[in-house]
Amino acid sequence: MCGIGGIISLAGEQLPNLKYNLEVTSKLQHHRGPDGQGIWQHPRQIVGFAHRRLSIIDLEAGKQPMTDNLGNWVTYNGEIYNYIELRQELGEQNFVTHSDTEVILQAYRKWGTDCVNHFRGMFAFALWDEANQRLFCARDRFGIKPFYYTIVNNIFYFASEVKAILPFIDSIETDIEGFQDYLTFQFCLAGKTLFKDINELQAGHDLTIQNSSLKIKRYWEVYYKLDFNHTEQYFHEKIQYLIRESANIHLRSDVPVGAYVSGGLDSSIVASIASEKKPDELVGFIGKFSISSDYDESPYAREVANWRGFQLYEADINVNDFIHNIQKVIYHLDYPTAGPGSFAQYMVSQLASKYRKVVLGGQGGDEIFGGYTRYLIAYFEQCIKGAIEGTMHSGNFIVTYESIIPNLVALKNYKPLLKKFWSQGLFEDLDKRYFELINRRDGFNDEINWGELNDYSPYETFRSIFKGKNVQKESYFDSMTHFDFKTLLPALLQVEDRVSMAHGLESRVPFLDHPLVELAATIPSNIKFKDGTMKQVLKNAMSSVLPPTILERQNKMGFPVPLSEWIKGEAKEFIYDILSSSNALNRQLINNQKVLRQLENEPKFGRKIWGLLSLELWQQTFHDQQSTYQKLIQV
C-alpha cells in the first residue's frame, strides 16, 4: 500500500515551487509508505506526482511514479489482483517489471480510460497522458482506496489523505452540509467531506482534466436486477465459487498474510478459506475489552482459530489505550466517520502490524448480503403492516410474520432502538421509515448551534440514493442494503484504510470483488433473507467452511466500545479536559459547555458523546493547527 499525491495547473501554466510542494504532500503521508518515496515533475512544471511506498514486493520493481517511456506517468495506490491474467492478455513481452503498477500503464495504452473496467482490485491512481495533455484519475468500484481533491487558484491538488492537501487551502473550515450529514448518519454523503472545499472522488468514478476542464463520471454501477430463473442451490454454488476465487487472488502476496477474525460470519469465512490455502502461514487477530463479556467476542474467534488450527493474537484493549491513542485515531482518519469501532480497529491493526504486512478482513459482507439487525427491525414493521392490511401473502413481502418471529431473538439488545424507532412514526413510506431507523440527528439537542446551519436536507440526499434507478422498487430489502452499500460501506472502508495505513499495514477485503457483488445484487430477497434470517444465503453457501457455533450465532456485537463506562469512570477527567479547553468552549457549531453536562447521561452503546468528542478532537487536530499546515509550504 502507498500514499499518492499530485498537483496540476488547470490552465497549463508553470507551477512555482512544484517539487517542494510535492515533497510536503509526500511527507504528510509518510506513514502510508515508510519504505521509500518518489517525485516526478513534468519538464514544463505544469503537473507533478508524489508517491510514498510500503514495500510488500521488490522495492525497485514497484518504484513510483512510473513511466512507460512514452510520455505516460502514473502514481498509484492499491492492488490489481488480476495482474497476472492482464499481463498475459496484454503480452508479457511488453513488460519490463513485475509490478502491477506497470499493468495500469499498459492497460491504459491499450484501452484508454476504459482500462478501469478491466481491473479487479482496490485502487486509486492518477495518470498523466502526455500525448493528449490529459490527467486521468480513478478510484476502485467500492472506495477501498482513498482519493481526495480540491481546486485553489485554478490549481488542482489531490492526495490519498486530506491532511496532505491542507497546506494548500486558504483556510481550514467545516463544510456545513457535510457536518449535517455527519450529525444525521455519522458519515458524509455524495462526495462531501467535513472539510469545506475538499471532496472525495466517489467509488466507481473517474476524473479527467483536459483543456482546463474537469469532468467526473461514474464508470461502474451495481444493478439489482433480480434473477428468478435460478434455484437457491444455484446461488449457493455460485457464491461459494466466487468467494473462494476472490480469496485466492487476494492471497497473492510475496509476504506472509494474516486475517482479522472478529467472531462473526464474514471474517470467519475469509480466515477459514485463507487457512485452507496457506495453512502454515495464516495467523489471526482480534480485539476485545475485558471490562465485560458484553464487549468481548474473542471466544467465537478462538472457536474458528481452533477449528482451523491457526494461531490467534488478541489485543486486550483498555481505557489507557483509549486515552493514549484516540487523538492519533482522529488524526489518521482525517475526519471522524462511522462509529467508535475506528478506535478498536486501530488497536487491532497495531497488533497485526507486529506480525504481518498484509491482512485480510470481512468488510463488505453485511452490506452485500444483508447482515445488519436494523434490516430485521424495518422488515418486521412491514410484516406487521402487511398482516393488519391483509396483504402479507399478496407477493409484496418476502417473508411472513409467522416465519420471522423465531428470528426476533436477534433484537434482544435493541429494545431502546425499537422504542425510539416506533416513537417517531409507524407504517409510513419505506424510505421515511428506514431514514428514521438510521437517523442520529434527533438525538442532538441544544449541544448543536442549529442557527449556524443552512437549509440543506440530508434526507433529500438520502432519498436520492435510497430510491436509486439501479434498484428495483419492489424490494425493500435491496433498497436498504443498497443505501448502506453506497454510503456506510465507504465510511467503514475509510476507517479500514486509515487505521491499517497508520501502522504500515495493507488491509485486503475479499468480499469486495465485483463479480461477487454483482451476483449478490441479483439474488431475490426471498433467498437472501429467507424466513427473516439475516445472510441466510451466505450461511447456506459457506456452511462447509465454518464451525456450527458461528453458523448458529444470533448475537453478533459489531465490535462495541465501552465508552459510556469509561466516560463515567477512568476517562472522565481526560474527556472533560478536551471539551473544556478555551477553544472547545468557543466553537461555532457546537456548544461544548452543554456537551459536558451530558457526559453522565450517555447510555450503554450510545454514540452521541462519541460523535461530539470526535468532532472536538478533529477541530483541535486540524482547525486549530491551520497556521502549522500553512507554514509547511512557506519556502
Side-chain angles (χ1 to χ4, degrees):
M1 287 296 95
C2 308
I4 65 173
I7 306 171
I8 181 172
S9 167
L10 295 181
E13 298 173 346
Q14 182 175 340
L15 294 166
N17 306 316
L18 178 57
K19 183 179 180 182
Y20 183 83
N21 289 340
L22 290 169
E23 289 173 346
V24 169
T25 300
S26 176
K27 184 177 181 180
L28 286 169
Q29 299 182 113
H30 176 269
H31 53 278
R32 294 188 70 91
D35 298 321
Q37 65 174 324
I39 299 288
W40 168 73
Q41 304 173 81
H42 190 276
R44 291 190 287 119
Q45 305 286 292
I46 60 172
V47 59
F49 294 157
H51 189 267
R52 298 293 320 192
R53 293 192 293 280
L54 172 64
S55 178
I56 63 170
I57 59 171
D58 178 65
L59 192 58
E60 289 303 313
K63 190 172 183 179
Q64 294 187 50
M66 182 180 287
T67 182
D68 59 2
N69 295 315
L70 294 173
N72 296 325
W73 285 84
V74 69
T75 184
Y76 149 67
N77 169 31
E79 296 286 343
I80 305 298
Y81 296 118
N82 62 331
Y83 71 96
I84 294 176
E85 292 78 7
L86 285 174
R87 287 174 66 97
Q88 295 171 350
E89 184 175 357
L90 293 165
E92 287 283 356
Q93 70 279 4
N94 296 319
F95 288 84
V96 177
T97 73
H98 298 290
S99 169
D100 61 343
T101 307
E102 191 179 3
V103 169
I104 294 176
L105 285 165
Q106 295 291 348
Y108 180 80
R109 284 178 59 185
K110 181 176 178 64
W111 295 302
T113 59
D114 190 55
C115 63
V116 290
N117 289 303
H118 295 263
F119 299 148
R120 288 177 70 178
M122 53 182 182
F123 55 84
F125 67 82
L127 188 151
W128 174 253
D129 179 341
E130 178 67 15
N132 293 296
Q133 294 290 287
R134 175 171 63 194
L135 179 72
F136 175 64
C137 309
R139 193 175 180 203
D140 64 67
R141 295 169 178 83
F142 313 110
I144 306 171
K145 292 290 101 182
F147 190 103
Y148 296 96
Y149 68 92
T150 191
I151 298 175
V152 181
N153 297 325
N154 217 28
I155 300 173
F156 178 83
Y157 301 88
F158 72 86
S160 295
E161 299 190 6
V162 172
K163 62 181 66 69
I165 297 175
L166 295 181
F168 307 104
I169 63 176
D170 295 330
S171 62
I172 298 176
E173 300 177 33
T174 301
D175 185 274
I176 298 301
E177 293 185 3
F179 178 76
Q180 293 186 74
D181 281 346
Y182 178 79
L183 293 180
T184 307
F185 310 107
Q186 285 200 340
F187 49 77
C188 300
L189 304 182
K192 294 187 292 292
T193 73
L194 279 175
F195 289 97
K196 183 180 179 181
D197 298 327
I198 297 179
N199 298 302
E200 66 171 346
L201 181 62
Q202 294 186 73
H205 284 69
D206 60 43
L207 179 155
T208 302
I209 295 177
Q210 190 173 25
N211 298 325
S212 302
S213 175
L214 185 152
K215 295 181 180 179
I216 296 174
K217 68 175 178 65
R218 176 182 294 279
Y219 70 83
W220 180 83
E221 180 64 282
V222 56
Y223 292 96
Y224 293 77
K225 295 180 179 178
L226 302 184
D227 178 359
F228 296 103
N229 297 319
H230 287 97
T231 65
E232 186 174 348
Q233 184 60 33
Y234 166 85
F235 289 115
H236 292 168
E237 293 172 359
K238 288 287 289 185
I239 288 170
Q240 185 173 128
Y241 170 78
L242 289 174
I243 287 178
R244 285 186 173 277
E245 183 196 32
S246 179
N248 287 341
I249 63 173
H250 278 73
L251 284 166
R252 290 175 173 174
S253 173
D254 291 339
V255 297
V257 175
Y260 294 124
V261 188
S262 71
L265 183 68
D266 306 327
S267 67
S268 298
I269 289 171
V270 170
S272 182
I273 294 174
S275 68
E276 288 179 359
K277 185 76 173 179
K278 298 191 175 184
D280 300 324
E281 175 183 313
L282 188 83
V283 293
F285 306 98
I286 186 175
K288 63 180 181 180
F289 300 92
S290 295
I291 186 174
S292 166
S293 60
D294 290 343
Y295 303 97
D296 182 3
E297 299 186 281
S298 60
Y300 293 99
R302 287 188 212 112
E303 184 84 17
V304 177
N306 293 336
W307 192 68
R308 277 301 183 188
F310 61 81
Q311 185 170 4
L312 181 69
Y313 294 94
E314 301 179 21
D316 196 346
I317 309 167
N318 58 48
V319 66
N320 289 323
D321 293 319
F322 177 79
I323 291 171
H324 294 140
N325 290 283
I326 186 58
Q327 289 170 303
K328 297 175 187 176
V329 173
I330 298 300
Y331 171 79
H332 283 289
L333 285 179
D334 281 332
Y335 55 94
T337 192
S342 57
F343 157 68
Q345 285 182 258
Y346 179 89
M347 300 307 302
V348 180
S349 294
Q350 184 180 72
L351 171 67
S353 68
K354 296 177 182 178
Y355 301 93
R356 292 292 185 268
K357 276 199 169 185
V358 176
V359 64
L360 307 180
Q363 200 70 268
D366 286 324
E367 294 80 10
I368 298 169
F369 291 104
Y372 292 120
T373 305
R374 59 177 170 271
Y375 303 147
L376 183 59
I377 295 173
Y379 213 87
F380 180 43
E381 178 184 277
Q382 295 306 309
C383 282
I384 297 173
K385 179 182 179 182
I388 293 172
E389 296 179 350
T391 59
M392 177 59 66
H393 300 284
S394 67
N396 294 324
F397 294 86
I398 57 173
V399 297
T400 64
Y401 61 86
E402 298 99 335
S403 64
I404 206 173
I405 286 173
N407 294 296
L408 296 182
V409 66
L411 303 182
K412 181 179 180 181
N413 293 323
Y414 290 84
K415 292 179 183 178
L417 178 58
L418 284 164
K419 184 177 180 180
K420 173 179 175 290
F421 179 47
W422 282 326
S423 72
Q424 296 173 330
L426 191 66
F427 303 153
E428 296 174 305
D429 292 343
L430 299 183
D431 58 330
K432 291 182 179 179
R433 297 310 294 146
Y434 191 60
F435 179 78
E436 289 304 331
L437 195 55
I438 62 176
N439 178 18
R440 300 180 182 278
R441 181 168 174 159
D442 291 343
F444 295 103
N445 300 305
D446 54 0
E447 308 96 346
I448 307 301
N449 298 327
W450 299 105
E452 297 291 334
L453 307 184
N454 58 29
D455 59 0
Y456 164 73
S457 171
Y459 171 70
E460 291 304 321
T461 305
F462 156 85
R463 193 168 180 272
S464 68
I465 301 170
F466 187 87
K467 291 181 170 291
K469 294 180 180 179
N470 56 315
V471 186
Q472 294 183 8
K473 302 303 179 292
E474 63 267 22
S475 176
Y476 186 31
F477 192 76
D478 287 339
S479 292
M480 291 188 290
T481 59
H482 168 253
F483 177 80
D484 288 343
F485 178 79
K486 286 291 183 68
T487 60
L488 173 60
L489 179 59
L492 295 174
L493 292 171
Q494 176 184 336
V495 173
E496 184 97 16
D497 173 81
R498 299 308 190 284
V499 300
S500 58
M501 285 283 84
H503 302 292
L505 183 68
E506 177 181 311
S507 178
R508 300 179 177 182
V509 282
F511 272 99
L512 295 179
D513 186 39
H514 72 273
L516 176 62
V517 172
E518 290 168 352
L519 172 75
T522 69
I523 302 175
S525 296
N526 64 320
I527 295 176
K528 197 184 296 183
F529 190 47
K530 187 175 183 179
D531 293 335
T533 303
M534 293 178 292
K535 294 198 282 194
Q536 183 63 52
V537 69
L538 181 63
K539 291 179 181 179
N540 290 340
M542 304 307 297
S543 60
S544 64
V545 304
L546 295 171
T549 308
I550 302 299
L551 283 169
E552 297 164 6
R553 188 179 179 191
Q554 289 187 303
N555 63 339
K556 183 69 176 76
M557 299 177 192
F559 216 166
V561 175
L563 186 61
S564 62
E565 283 90 337
W566 292 345
I567 288 173
K568 299 164 189 173
E570 296 172 88
K572 182 176 180 179
E573 184 177 349
F574 169 74
I575 293 173
Y576 189 92
D577 288 346
I578 289 172
L579 296 173
S580 61
S581 69
S582 58
N583 282 345
L585 295 177
N586 289 282
R587 297 298 182 195
Q588 174 192 5
L589 301 175
I590 300 174
N591 186 330
N592 279 315
Q593 186 66 55
K594 293 182 177 178
V595 176
L596 287 166
R597 298 172 189 165
Q598 298 294 318
L599 294 185
E600 296 288 342
N601 300 324
E602 182 74 351
K604 188 174 184 178
F605 306 128
R607 286 169 63 164
K608 178 177 177 177
I609 297 301
W610 164 263
L612 294 169
L613 175 66
S614 296
L615 285 169
E616 176 53 34
L617 285 170
W618 170 64
Q619 291 178 98
Q620 290 184 16
T621 301
F622 296 107
H623 292 61
D624 297 349
Q625 300 300 319
Q626 176 174 307
S627 61
T628 301
Y629 279 97
Q630 290 179 335
K631 287 178 182 177
L632 293 175
I633 59 170
Q634 294 176 3
V635 181

